[in-house]
Amino acid sequence: MSQPRKVEIRSDGGLSILWDDGHQAAYTPAHLRLACKCALCEDEWSGERRLDASSIASDIRALSVKPVGRYGIQVNWSDGHSTGIYTFDRLRALCECETCLKTARE
Ligand SMILES: [Zn+2]
Ligand SMILES: [Zn+2]
């Protein structure tokens, strides 16, 4: 599993992660916030989404990020939400860099 070498909060409140395999990943704040899988945002049993994209503020941003064990990160969002843990596997899948977006389109 890839590990992040460097995690930075971008000026737009999104994240920029440099992975140990050299992949430079990019994440827009709304996309990442919406992808939260904590119990408040997604039903743990049914997988049903409890979080609606329209309920996310357009100026949402990450205020701080902290590592969780050796498997993920926790993001403290400007809407006060900080219970979600983004595992490294999931972050790789959520990457929005040009290369990954291009692959997803093909
Ligand atoms: Zn959540
Ligand atoms: Zn990527």
Side-chain angles (χ1 to χ4, degrees), residues 70-90:
R70 295 187 61 79
Y71 67 93
I73 59 169
Q74 192 172 356
V75 180
N76 180 20
W77 294 101
S78 57
D79 62 358
H81 195 72
S82 63
T83 38
I85 291 167
Y86 298 85
T87 60
F88 296 154
D89 272 357
R90 197 160 152 70

Side-chain angles (χ1 to χ4, degrees), residues 52-106:
D52 180 354
S54 62
S55 68
I56 295 175
S58 55
D59 61 350
I60 186 85
R61 48 187 300 123
L63 299 177
S64 62
V65 177
K66 68 174 184 185
V68 178
R70 295 187 61 79
Y71 67 93
I73 59 169
Q74 192 172 356
V75 180
N76 180 20
W77 294 101
S78 57
D79 62 358
H81 195 72
S82 63
T83 38
I85 291 167
Y86 298 85
T87 60
F88 296 154
D89 272 357
R90 197 160 152 70
L91 283 169
R92 285 302 294 239
L94 288 168
C95 180
E96 294 176 280
C97 79
E98 275 182 38
T99 312
C100 291
L101 287 181
K102 193 158 163 276
T103 313
R105 272 198 300 265
E106 275 163 5

